Amino acid sequence: MPSAADEISAAIAAAGGAIPFSEYMQLALYGEGGFYTTGGRAGRRGGDFITSPEVGPLFGTVIARALDAWWRELGSPSRFDVVECGAGPGTLARSILAAQPECANAMHYVAVEISALQRALHPQSVESRETMPNGPITGVILANELLDNLPFRLFVFDGSWMEAFVSQSSGGQFVEVLRTPDVVPSCLPQTAPLGSRAPIQDAAASWVRDCLSKIDHGRLLLFDYFSPSTAEIALTPWREWLRTYRDQGRGTHYLTDPGSQDITAQVMLDQLPRGFVTSTQADFLQQWGIDDLVCEGTEYWESMMHAPDIAAMKMRSRATENKTLTDSTELGSLLSLVY
């Protein structure tokens, strides 16, 4: 199997010396030797970063409550599609199914994951696949921290807005070169401090439009690190919104060691299709009863603490999970979007 660096080098040579940053990111994350293709994943043990489902089962239990409400809203159909995109090893699917939602008998759970290594870990009770189903979908498409990993074009202000391409030095290092774009995206400010950067997230916007076109009746639910304005992000130090992760910590520069680390960025709300309702993850989880579930867990633990069983230990952990999921200094700072 070629490494991500080998694939990127070949693409640069085939393109005559440079490729767009979006192509570099695609190969670094999803190429044959890419980070996600070869096993990069979330998880407390052995993972490269932690996302809400890996905190514990509470997140999925709350999502199950929302799914039940939306199923009833649709008239309790006999088939209720739940399509999870970027499903990883199936952690969220397991939590939702373990919560035994009211809609369970109608639920057709589809776990979409590009990595064959991750798909091999999916529970047998779900449909595991590499690509999105064609639709029409009656139910819910959901994605947790997916859009921030979709490849984007990178623009740099150098007296005017230029597009970043990736080339390779004579010593073999990947380097950035700037080229004049055919069209400057309208979401960029007319001027900015020298060296300012901004992502142009065509792939994320296209992905949302595609999902919406597949939904016949139902919802699209997204959790991610969103920012309201491309113009504002252009004035923000780029290391605050363009990040790499490896071994549950920050990684190195995004042009070093491609394939060995995650590359992620804030998702620009002003570049996505309109029509969503937004809230913090904390507010979303509270809307769907996380506080009640924590109280239930505390009461069960207190009744069983002198002879705790496995269920009591899980109930006890709800308070700790709740803090991580809703604290604004932790995962509570994520936003939820509902279409």
Side-chain angles (χ1 to χ4, degrees):
M1 177 187 297
S3 69
D6 290 340
E7 290 184 276
I8 293 165
S9 296
I12 289 172
I19 57 175
F21 177 80
S22 56
E23 185 176 350
Y24 168 86
M25 186 173 171
Q26 173 69 33
L27 292 170
L29 296 184
Y30 305 109
E32 194 174 345
F35 177 76
Y36 283 108
T37 311
T38 57
R41 63 181 181 87
R44 283 190 176 277
R45 296 182 179 178
D48 293 281
F49 47 86
I50 296 291
T51 64
S52 296
E54 282 77 31
V55 171
L58 182 59
F59 183 75
T61 303
V62 180
I63 300 300
R65 284 190 163 202
L67 294 176
D68 272 342
W70 293 333
W71 174 64
R72 291 191 294 268
E73 188 179 84
L74 293 175
S76 305
S78 59
R79 174 170 168 137
F80 183 64
D81 299 310
V82 176
V83 181
E84 181 194 354
C85 303
T91 305
L92 180 56
R94 286 186 179 84
S95 296
I96 290 173
L97 296 172
Q100 298 181 322
E102 184 183 345
C103 64
N105 289 336
M107 185 187 297
H108 176 229
Y109 201 108
V110 181
V112 181
E113 171 55 48
I114 193 172
S115 168
L117 295 174
Q118 302 280 53
R119 291 198 304 276
L121 302 174
H122 288 175
Q124 293 184 350
S125 55
V126 309
E127 179 187 344
S128 177
R129 53 185 295 152
E130 183 178 359
T131 58
M132 281 281 288
N134 292 326
I137 289 167
T138 297
V140 177
I141 298 176
L142 64 92
N144 181 68
E145 295 193 46
L146 171 69
L147 296 188
D148 64 331
N149 287 128
L150 296 184
F152 55 86
R153 292 186 291 153
L154 182 60
F155 277 69
V156 181
F157 193 79
D158 188 33
S160 61
W161 284 105
M162 308 287 283
E163 184 170 356
F165 280 65
V166 177
S167 185
Q168 196 162 20
S169 71
S170 57
Q173 283 121 359
F174 296 115
V175 295
E176 195 171 81
V177 294
L178 302 181
R179 292 184 175 178
T180 303
D182 294 332
V183 177
V184 175
S186 60
C187 59
L188 293 171
Q190 290 188 345
T191 188
L194 220 57
S196 296
R197 291 164 179 262
I200 299 300
Q201 294 166 315
D202 309 305
S206 177
W207 186 89
V208 170
R209 284 192 296 270
D210 182 59
C211 286
L212 293 174
S213 73
K214 293 178 187 296
I215 297 173
D216 187 19
H217 300 288
R219 309 273 182 145
L220 171 61
L221 171 63
L222 307 172
F223 295 94
D224 226 311
Y225 292 97
F226 293 102
S227 289
S229 166
T230 309
E232 288 181 15
I233 214 74
L235 303 179
T236 304
W238 65 266
R239 286 179 176 82
E240 294 183 15
W241 59 263
L242 174 52
R243 301 176 291 268
T244 62
Y245 290 97
R246 175 170 50 201
D247 299 330
Q248 298 190 24
R250 292 293 288 268
T252 56
H253 190 279
Y254 52 79
L255 291 184
T256 54
D257 300 324
S260 70
Q261 59 185 355
D262 188 21
I263 303 173
T264 180
Q266 298 288 116
V267 182
M268 303 296 106
L269 289 176
D270 63 337
Q271 296 185 33
L272 298 182
R274 300 293 182 262
F276 52 79
V277 174
T278 182
S279 64
T280 65
Q281 174 168 292
D283 286 344
F284 178 92
L285 296 176
Q286 286 159 359
Q287 175 189 354
W288 294 108
I290 193 171
D291 293 336
D292 292 340
L293 290 167
V294 172
C295 287
E296 177 187 72
T298 300
E299 290 172 0
Y300 188 88
W301 165 252
E302 289 176 350
S303 71
M304 298 290 292
M305 61 188 298
H306 298 296
D309 55 12
I310 293 176
M313 299 302 291
K314 289 181 178 179
M315 288 293 195
R316 183 189 186 190
S317 74
R318 282 184 176 181
T320 303
E321 293 175 44
N322 175 54
K323 181 181 184 304
T324 302
L325 293 170
T326 61
D327 192 316
S328 62
T329 64
E330 298 190 64
L331 291 167
S333 64
L334 274 74
L335 296 185
S336 73
L337 264 61
V338 180
Y339 283 89

